[in-house]
Every structure is written in C-alpha cells, then in structure tokens.
Amino acid sequence: MAAKKLNGTVIVTYRCNAHCSMCSRYKVPSRPEDEISIETIKKLPKMYFTNITGGEPFIRSDLKDIVRELYKKSERIVISTNGFFTERIIDLCKEFPKVGIRISIEGLEKTNNEIRGLEDGFNRGYTTLKQLRKMGMKDVGFGMTVQDENACDLVPLYRISNELDMEFATASLHNSFYFVETKNIIHDRPMVAKNFENLINELLRSGSPKKWFRAYFNHGLINYIYSQKRLLPCNMSFDTFFIDPYGDVMPCNGTKDKEVMGNLNAQTWDELWNSSEAEVVRKKVRGCSRNCWMIGSVSPAMHKYIWKPAWWVVWHKFKALFVKQPYSMFENKICRDYRDGVVDKRELDACSTCDKQVE
C-alpha cells in the first residue's frame, strides 16, 4: 500500500528583517550554520502540500535549492514572506512559476508599516505582488494577522486583493513558542468580530465556492477570539507536521512549549514518525485545549470533515437568496452572551491567556 502523503510546513530560518508587534521571533534568530540543510530536506516524506516559512525565508541564499528539492516531494508549494526582497522573489519565481507566494500585509500602508516595523514595507510587498501578477504568476496573494490595530483595514485590504484577483488569507493573534509571545490578546472583541462579519458577508456574496469556504474559516476565527472550543478536531501530528530550522519535527507552531517528535538531522523519517516520542506528542495533541484556529491545522481538518463546513456554506448561501447580510456574528452563542452580559471581558481574557495544555 502506498504511503500516505502528508501536509508539511518547513521553517527554513528564524532570521527575519521585520520587527512585528505580535511576533518576537526576530529577537531569537537561528544562526545560518545551524539551519536545516538540503541533506535533511531530502529525508522529508512525500507531501501533497508544503508551506515554506520563517522567519523570512528569502533571507536564505539557497532558497531556490530548497524549493527545487521540495518539488521532488510535494505537489504544491507556497512560500510565506513579507515581500520585502522583491528581486529575490522575482528571481525564484522565474524558475518556479507554479510556486505560490503569500505576502504578509497587515493592513493599509500606515497600519502595516507600524505593525511590521518595516519602513516602506507596504509598498515593497504590494509592488512585489503586482510584479508577480505581471509575470503571469497565478498563485499569489495577501496574508493578514487581524488584531485591534488593523481590524478596520480587513475589508478594504480584501477588496484590494479581490480587484487584483489575488488570494486573501487571514489569521488572528496567537501566543506560542514559535512567536516567542505570551501577551498577544484581542481587547475589543466585538469590534474585531464585526469586521470579520463584514468580510464573511463579502465572501459569501462572491461567486467563488472557494471564498464561501473561506467564510467558514473566518467564522471560526470569531469563535477563536472569543476563546471557544474549535469548530473542527485537530489532527496535527497525525496527517500534518512542522519542521524547524534545527531539524526538529513538531506537530504545529501553536503549542505553548516546543513539542518535539524527533530530529530529522539524526533520524530517518520512518524512525522519527513511528517513534515513541512521536506517540507521546500525539497523545498531547489529542488532549490539547488551546483551540488554535490557524490555516495550517484547519485546512486539512476542513477537507477531512468536509460535511461540517459544507452544511454551513449551503445554509448561508440559501440565506443569501433572501437577505443582503446572510451571516451575523451573533449566530455564535458566545457573542450573544458577551453582548448581554452573561459572560464578561475578564472571563474571556482569562481563557485567552491561560494557555492550558494537557501534559
């Protein structure tokens, strides 16, 4: 029987030229000599999707060699970047025109530059996207981490991506070892949720089934920022993995402390994936109560449990036949409870910062 293909994320470096307000990883960079080598990448398994991320991946001078090797193993590759190194990105995409590029843009110009700590960061990223489009690149788009400071830019930024016919990915603030942060929290939940609600309705009114399912993902982000249980089970470490610059294989990048299944520098993939250490981590994943809602864990879950998001989409598209706004954040009981004073901010903040993890 053929081996099961996995969903993998390769963190090629922890070095980064941005100083994002919600991520302190740049304060703890990896050293170039310690970063994952081509020889270790050759040991990775077959994957149906691979995300290359960092840090800032384009800091690595051998990124083209990494992509070349990963294409031998993966059907699709998407690189997450801040888009600052335009020339390097264009050069790589000339050799790999089918690669996906997601540029992190955290709002309109002023907001983005303040959050990411990159002078002229918005213009650099936006210029890179337009040049990629001019080259004929199809799999390009924005990625945005939504927070109090940029929530009002959510729909305007989506509309820019829509006009350019680009992908638009969203996330919410998270705390984890990966971000080297424990203090990220959304303070004005109703305001942020209202902006997500507006985005969800725009996605539902579009003619794209892909965007309808993205509406469901963003519905899950509202659920997450109100500190509720995940809408779908998490299967990280079972069908999905992360590998960091040091060769450590992990279930995901959302845990409070780094959870290691094994090290690919020192092991074969089969030894690592079937090890007792990996089983210990899988047991922790099954008991994890962090309720993360990031695309890396949610996308595989949406495919596996497709009937749940599909029913949500069918119901809301049906509603769209009769009303202009088919979705309301108050479909979520927690939003109603918070509005009505049944749950207060102190209780939600406590849930957001407790970072519970079953040992």
Side-chain angles (χ1 to χ4, degrees), residues 302-316:
M302 286 178 65
H303 284 85
K304 185 171 184 177
Y305 306 100
I306 185 63
W307 62 91
K308 291 186 178 181
W311 170 246
W312 185 93
V313 166
V314 168
W315 171 241
H316 286 88

Side-chain angles (χ1 to χ4, degrees), residues 12-15 29-38 40 59-62 245-247 265:
V12 295
T13 182
Y14 279 141
R15 291 176 285 158
S30 49
R31 297 187 304 173
E33 60 268 28
D34 295 333
E35 291 171 351
I36 189 168
S37 67
I38 297 297
T40 296
I59 283 179
R60 284 198 60 156
S61 60
D62 61 346
Y246 309 113
N265 293 332

Side-chain angles (χ1 to χ4, degrees), residues 7-18:
N7 183 321
T9 295
V10 184
I11 307 169
V12 295
T13 182
Y14 279 141
R15 291 176 285 158
C16 191
N17 61 315

Side-chain angles (χ1 to χ4, degrees), residues 204-205 314-326:
L204 286 170
R205 289 195 300 268
V314 168
W315 171 241
H316 286 88
K317 287 301 292 181
F318 174 75
K319 288 174 66 177
L321 297 174
F322 304 99
V323 294
K324 186 177 180 180
Q325 304 290 332

Side-chain angles (χ1 to χ4, degrees), residues 88-336:
R88 299 180 197 178
I89 297 169
I90 298 299
D91 181 56
L92 183 142
C93 289
K94 286 178 179 177
E95 181 171 343
F96 305 104
K98 292 184 179 180
V99 75
I101 300 290
R102 294 293 178 274
I103 293 182
S104 298
I105 296 181
E106 309 302 346
L108 301 178
E109 184 172 3
K110 182 175 183 292
T111 306
N112 174 81
N113 295 351
E114 288 177 354
I115 289 176
R116 296 199 70 84
L118 274 176
E119 187 177 348
D120 204 35
F122 178 88
N123 287 331
R124 293 289 287 265
Y126 188 53
T127 298
T128 301
L129 284 168
K130 290 193 292 185
Q131 288 195 30
L132 291 173
R133 260 288 184 250
K134 190 174 181 181
M135 286 171 57
M137 295 284 295
K138 296 179 179 178
D139 192 1
V140 297
F142 300 79
M144 179 180 182
T145 300
V146 182
Q147 50 200 284
D148 295 85
E149 290 77 10
N150 67 359
C152 292
D153 288 354
L154 179 58
V155 170
L157 198 62
Y158 162 72
R159 288 175 177 166
I160 291 173
S161 73
N162 197 44
E163 289 170 4
L164 297 171
D165 193 25
M166 292 183 179
E167 301 289 329
F168 186 70
T170 50
S172 176
L173 287 179
H174 284 74
N175 293 301
S176 78
F177 80 92
Y178 175 77
F179 302 109
V180 198
E181 273 299 339
T182 60
K183 298 178 182 177
N184 284 331
I185 188 170
I186 287 176
H187 298 283
D188 190 346
R189 290 179 177 85
M191 180 274 291
V192 175
K194 181 61 179 177
N195 282 282
F196 271 120
E197 177 188 285
N198 294 339
L199 174 65
I200 290 166
N201 280 308
E202 296 231 357
L203 293 168
L204 286 170
R205 289 195 300 268
S206 77
S208 166
K210 188 174 184 179
K211 290 183 179 180
W212 305 341
F213 281 88
R214 287 221 175 119
Y216 175 83
F217 174 79
N218 284 279
H219 162 65
L221 283 173
I222 293 177
N223 186 68
Y224 172 75
I225 66 173
Y226 276 88
S227 306
Q228 299 303 289
K229 185 178 179 180
R230 275 177 68 110
L231 301 180
L232 298 172
C234 177
N235 290 297
M236 303 302 278
S237 77
F238 291 87
D239 55 16
T240 307
F241 71 90
F242 278 62
I243 184 168
D244 77 357
Y246 309 113
D248 287 333
V249 174
M250 311 167 294
C252 65
N253 66 341
T255 53
K256 179 181 178 181
D257 300 309
K258 185 177 176 180
E259 301 290 348
V260 180
M261 303 170 72
N263 186 282
L264 198 58
N265 293 332
Q267 298 169 277
T268 67
W269 180 260
D270 287 342
E271 287 171 347
L272 186 156
W273 196 246
N274 300 308
S275 67
S276 58
E277 291 84 357
E279 288 306 310
V280 168
V281 171
R282 291 188 180 106
K283 184 177 179 181
K284 288 185 177 183
V285 170
R286 281 293 184 231
C288 180
S289 59
R290 289 173 69 80
N291 295 310
C292 299
W293 193 257
M294 293 186 278
I295 197 65
S297 67
V298 176
S299 179
M302 286 178 65
H303 284 85
K304 185 171 184 177
Y305 306 100
I306 185 63
W307 62 91
K308 291 186 178 181
W311 170 246
W312 185 93
V313 166
V314 168
W315 171 241
H316 286 88
K317 287 301 292 181
F318 174 75
K319 288 174 66 177
L321 297 174
F322 304 99
V323 294
K324 186 177 180 180
Q325 304 290 332
Y327 176 80
S328 167
M329 60 190 260
F330 295 111
E331 293 176 18
N332 300 276
K333 182 177 181 296
I334 187 63
C335 294
R336 300 194 302 273

Side-chain angles (χ1 to χ4, degrees), residues 39-57:
E39 291 308 309
T40 296
I41 285 172
K42 287 179 179 178
K43 296 162 76 174
L44 286 168
K46 292 290 185 182
M47 294 167 278
Y48 65 87
F49 173 78
T50 304
N51 176 226
I52 298 174
T53 188
E56 170 49 51

